[in-house]
Amino acid sequence: MADPRPILFFDSGVGGLSVLAPTRALLPQAALVYAADSAGFPYGTRSEGEIAARVPALLGRLAERYRPRLIVIACNTASTIALAHVRAALDVPIVGTVPAIKIAAERSRSRVIGVLGTRATVRQPYVDDLAARFAGDCTVLRHGSADLVELAEQRLRDRSIDPARFAGVLAGLFDQPGGDRIDVIVNACTHFPLVADDLARAAPRPVLFVDGGPGIARRVAQLTNGQGWPDVLPPGIAVFTGAADPALAPAFARHGLTVIETL
């Protein structure tokens, strides 16, 4: 049977597009809504208390408006802090985003991996737990960068960026003791895969960058397996909690999000 309910993706900004894209590739028939908390951006510099209160409240309003079949919190910071709060508040399946430390540990030969995220994400006990469970025989170096979030937002606006800024972010990992042995870096913020090519070019030597987007897409496909989809695919919706930036419209349109709304 036809089912018009969309999948809702939520992030503080544009980073969740790195999760939406592989999901759209797996489920081209799915109706999609992308919500950017532009009024609260960036999350990486906010307190944990603010995020734990803000995210469930916003997702409650979004769920009431769009009636999604499933919500993807396509933001590592929001997931590591607010995922349990959202699941307690909403009667909708929720998929969170966590750093791909397991994948990094499986692929590392040097047994030294880097975790590149926001400051709020890299300090979370959840990351400690992932490292202990899946990378116990690895040295896990972490670096939190608010600047890289801003760079990803600028890149999606097609703005030119000095490559030295990406090199400066990576130095936060490579300049740590043992950093010269890093061979895999976890992009532990959904913004960062959007500038993965820039990061690869700026790295002082070849390293592998990994993220959780493809795995999240597979999880969404699994949870929606057997469900009906719209007979006619509606235009994708991008909704902002603050003023929408017209400069982002082409980037959202490339992901099938051609309708712009505000919450």
Side-chain angles (χ1 to χ4, degrees):
M1 292 180 63
D3 186 343
R5 293 177 300 158
I7 299 169
L8 172 67
F9 295 80
F10 176 85
D11 184 31
S12 62
V14 301
L17 293 174
S18 70
V19 178
L20 180 145
T23 305
R24 186 166 177 252
L26 278 183
L27 299 170
Q29 72 277 37
L32 303 178
V33 174
Y34 184 93
D37 184 13
S38 50
F41 177 86
Y43 280 3
T45 57
R46 289 184 173 270
S47 71
E48 294 178 21
E50 285 181 284
I51 294 170
R54 184 177 182 85
V55 172
L58 281 176
L59 283 173
R61 293 171 60 193
L62 289 162
E64 184 175 358
R65 176 185 287 193
Y66 296 106
R67 303 295 179 186
R69 68 181 71 206
L70 181 147
I71 293 173
V72 180
I73 302 180
C75 172
N76 289 88
T77 301
S79 293
T80 55
I81 294 172
L83 182 59
H85 300 280
V86 174
R87 284 177 169 159
L90 300 181
D91 188 21
V92 180
I94 310 292
V95 175
T97 308
V98 298
I101 290 174
K102 181 180 179 181
I103 296 172
E106 289 171 349
R107 299 186 182 181
S108 175
R109 294 179 179 271
S110 71
R111 312 317 291 157
V112 181
I113 63 178
V115 177
L116 191 60
T118 66
R119 295 188 185 98
T121 294
V122 298
R123 66 173 181 247
Q124 289 302 312
Y126 193 90
V127 178
D128 297 334
D129 180 63
L130 288 174
R133 289 166 57 198
F134 300 117
D137 65 336
C138 295
T139 298
V140 180
L141 303 178
R142 311 181 199 184
H143 178 60
S145 172
D147 189 40
L148 193 53
V149 176
E150 295 286 354
L151 293 178
E153 294 268 334
Q154 291 179 33
R155 177 61 79 214
L156 227 63
R157 291 170 171 84
D158 291 326
R159 294 176 183 166
S160 61
I161 301 170
D162 183 353
R165 296 184 66 183
F166 294 103
V169 170
L170 288 173
L173 284 174
F174 288 112
D175 290 353
Q176 293 183 43
D180 59 325
R181 295 177 53 224
I182 292 173
D183 63 348
V184 183
I185 293 177
V186 180
N187 277 325
C189 170
T190 55
H191 277 75
F192 298 174
L194 300 176
V195 289
D197 290 343
D198 296 284
L199 291 169
R201 285 191 293 268
R205 53 188 171 74
V207 293
L208 175 66
F209 289 88
V210 299
D211 67 86
I216 296 164
R218 290 190 294 271
R219 179 61 176 158
V220 172
Q222 179 186 44
L223 290 173
T224 58
N225 184 40
Q227 296 182 9
W229 298 100
D231 287 332
V232 178
L233 185 64
I237 298 171
V239 55
F240 296 83
T241 60
D245 184 348
L248 288 173
F252 279 101
R254 289 195 293 270
H255 289 82
L257 305 168
T258 56
V259 176
I260 306 296
E261 299 180 355
T262 56
L263 184 64

